Amino acid sequence: HIWLDPTLAIAMVDNITNAVCQKDPQNKDFYIENSNEYKAKLQALDKDFETMINNSQKNKVIFAGRFAHLYFIKRYNLEYMSAFDGCSAEAEPGVKRLTDIINTIKQDNIHYIYYEEITQPKIATSIAEQTNTQALKFSTVHNITKDQLNSNISYIDIMYENLENLKKGLN
């Protein structure tokens, strides 16, 4: 999930642009222009996350769903806890880990926990009920619903939704 770090998404755009330009050099200027426009949006997104996080009261995020956010966490130097070690659908969190999360939420006065998109957030809902917190979505931006597809939602749109939900949790 390297694309959750907008700076790595920029590198991906560069790689894609270079490959497309090699395959279709006749339209190189068109591809480069579009690439530069999109990279500017990614740079603005990165700056917006940086600014929001730097101006936040908290620096810890709790993930109750599958954890695929490490590149994002590292990019913005956030502390985190996760119910899962990774994003495998085969894993289940242990009682000790869930207890540690619940204790951390209470100790650090955390009001929001996060789960990934297109899931039944059973663990997030259970923890939220036990801790009087609220569960919020933090998308991994690799799944979208049919309605989102039909509405032409973009990576940028989804990441700004993540920004708004993260802002709630860090303040």
Side-chain angles (χ1 to χ4, degrees):
H1 296 87
I2 64 172
W3 54 86
L4 290 176
D5 175 342
T7 63
L8 295 177
I10 290 169
M12 293 170 71
V13 169
D14 283 336
N15 289 336
I16 291 166
T17 302
N18 290 337
V20 171
C21 287
Q22 286 178 359
K23 292 289 184 185
D24 185 15
Q26 189 174 356
N27 293 304
K28 179 180 178 178
D29 292 341
F30 172 77
Y31 300 131
I32 290 172
E33 181 181 331
N34 285 325
S35 174
N36 289 337
E37 287 177 19
Y38 197 70
K39 289 190 304 184
K41 291 177 183 179
L42 290 169
Q43 289 166 341
L45 174 68
D46 181 51
K47 183 71 171 164
D48 290 344
F49 268 110
E50 251 181 7
T51 300
M52 183 275 294
I53 290 167
N54 289 338
N55 292 319
S56 293
Q57 298 171 11
K58 297 178 181 171
N59 192 42
K60 186 178 282 182
V61 183
I62 307 291
F63 291 96
R66 308 279 180 222
F67 186 70
H69 305 88
L70 192 58
Y71 286 97
F72 180 86
I73 293 295
K74 285 184 176 185
R75 169 70 184 124
Y76 299 108
N77 199 30
L78 293 167
E79 294 179 38
Y80 75 97
M81 288 186 77
S82 177
F84 295 84
D85 289 330
C87 54
S88 170
E90 305 302 317
E92 289 296 329
V95 173
K96 181 180 180 345
R97 181 165 291 187
L98 294 177
T99 301
D100 289 346
I101 286 173
I102 290 168
N103 290 338
T104 297
I105 288 170
K106 291 176 180 178
Q107 176 185 327
D108 293 349
N109 197 27
I110 293 172
H111 302 288
Y112 296 91
I113 57 175
Y114 297 92
Y115 62 92
E116 73 279 10
E117 74 280 5
I118 310 180
T119 63
Q120 292 294 325
K122 294 175 188 174
I123 294 171
T125 301
S126 176
I127 292 171
E129 289 171 359
Q130 293 179 49
T131 58
N132 198 31
T133 57
Q134 184 178 350
L136 293 173
K137 180 177 69 171
F138 192 101
S139 179
T140 58
V141 199
H142 74 268
N143 294 306
I144 59 173
T145 66
K146 186 176 180 181
D147 289 340
Q148 287 174 316
L149 179 63
N150 291 336
S151 71
N152 294 318
I153 196 164
S154 71
Y155 165 89
I156 299 287
D157 297 327
I158 295 170
M159 287 299 286
Y160 273 108
E161 289 175 5
N162 283 345
L163 184 140
E164 289 305 314
N165 282 343
L166 188 61
K167 186 187 298 185
K168 291 176 185 176
L170 296 179
N171 289 302

